[in-house]
Amino acid sequence: MFKNSTIDSLLIDLINIKSVSGEEDKIFKAIKSFFIKLNFIIEIEEQNNIVFNANLNKNKTILLAGHLDTVLAQDEDQYKAKIINENNDTYIYGRGACDMKAGLSVMLKLALDIYNKEVDLNYNIKFLFYSDEERALPNGLNFLIDKNLKKESLAIILEPTDNKVAIACLGTLTFKVNIKGEAAHSSIPWTGSNAIYNCIQFIQKIKNINYVEKNYDGIKAVSSLSVTQANTTNSHNVIPDNITLTLNYRFLPDFSKEEAIKYIEYKVSKDYELIDISPACICNINLPKSFNKYKKFIYQGWCDMAQLNEYGIPTIAFGPGNESLAHKVNESISLSSLNSFYKNLLEILKD
Ligand SMILES: [Zn+2]
């Protein structure tokens, strides 16, 4: 399945295996047989989720993690890698080129270099591959956590972070609130009470809640609360007797899920329906010294690093590629940035 051992060839082969969420069988089998041929030990395997151990006989282990799936492509052509030379560099285009088959190609390259004894690392390395990251939770990581994934002292998710290190992410809480009215025929609206009008005050109250900005060692994070959906189920000639508003709260990295719920109950209402909640996280440990030269940032969005941190594995995100190209028609990565990321990662793993 993998024709050549260079990092660009590995990436091209990975892009050419279509792996939209829910359809990871093929890429999973290819990666599994790749690692088995290199004599890596399978530590956990559950559906299309797996952890391989390099067993390097070192005191500390770093867990490298990546998701196998991609979002759907806008056009079928994107499932086939394209190589374009421009600006004195080579660019590899295709679905997943940066999110996150570039990260996967780095993991495969490292496994090969370990097998061929071309690298001398200061850590044992485990490789975690999981499915279904691009859809709602739970995803493949939850299957591995449920199987007692071993708690290593550091995990790195190789999501595209453009040479920066994500040390935290915000949490997210989605909930629904119903505002009541009284139904009436719309030709005689004064005989009822319009639930849409009745929610204006509520929406204004939410709009007036300020964004909360907080600095973590000079890195900014902003929490916010937004109304994201408004639904009624009546027909067009009926005054609605109910409107359901969906709200999404993005809470700060050092807020627990319980604190986020308390905040909503205090600021908004005690009368709500919880739809889902995903934890925030901040990775407070001392990273290996070689991380000092990289800029740190906090994901305003949500990332699986929160699940691993909550489970008890200090986790950061650090991977090749530019996140702003993820999921786009022109998703791509330059070969020079992919190679230099690999070099940087080796430097960290030798630290
Ligand atoms: Zn991703």
Side-chain angles (χ1 to χ4, degrees), residues 67 99-100 133-134 159-160:
H67 62 82
D99 185 11
M100 60 166 284
E133 189 270 348
E134 299 286 6
E159 290 275 14

Coordinates of all heavy atoms in Angstrom, one line a residue, residues 67 99-100 133-134 159-160, ligand 1:
H67 N -5.9 11.5 13.9 CA -7.2 10.9 13.5 C -7.1 10.5 12.0 O -6.4 11.2 11.2 CB -8.4 11.8 13.7 CG -8.3 13.2 13.0 ND1 -8.7 13.3 11.7 CD2 -8.0 14.4 13.5 CE1 -8.6 14.6 11.4 NE2 -8.2 15.3 12.5
D99 N -5.1 18.4 7.3 CA -5.9 18.0 8.4 C -6.4 16.5 8.2 O -7.4 16.3 7.6 CB -7.1 18.9 8.6 CG -7.9 18.6 9.8 OD1 -7.5 17.7 10.6 OD2 -9.0 19.1 10.0
M100 N -5.7 15.5 8.7 CA -4.3 15.7 9.2 C -3.5 14.5 8.7 O -2.8 13.9 9.5 CB -4.4 15.7 10.8 CG -5.0 14.5 11.5 SD -4.6 14.6 13.3 CE -2.8 14.0 13.2
E133 N -13.1 11.6 14.0 CA -12.8 12.8 14.8 C -13.7 14.0 14.2 O -14.0 14.9 14.9 CB -11.3 13.2 14.7 CG -10.9 14.3 15.6 CD -11.0 15.7 14.9 OE1 -11.2 15.8 13.7 OE2 -10.9 16.7 15.6
E134 N -14.0 13.9 12.9 CA -14.6 15.0 12.2 C -16.1 15.1 12.5 O -16.8 15.9 11.8 CB -14.3 15.1 10.7 CG -12.8 15.2 10.4 CD -12.2 16.6 10.7 OE1 -13.0 17.5 11.2 OE2 -11.0 16.8 10.3
E159 N -2.3 17.6 15.0 CA -3.2 18.4 14.2 C -2.4 19.6 13.6 O -1.4 20.0 14.2 CB -4.3 19.0 15.1 CG -5.4 18.0 15.5 CD -6.5 17.8 14.5 OE1 -6.3 18.1 13.4 OE2 -7.5 17.1 14.9
P160 N -2.8 20.2 12.5 CA -2.0 21.3 11.9 C -2.1 22.5 12.8 O -3.1 23.1 13.1 CB -2.8 21.6 10.6 CG -4.1 21.0 10.7 CD -4.0 19.9 11.7
Ligands
ZN1 ZN -8.1 17.4 12.4

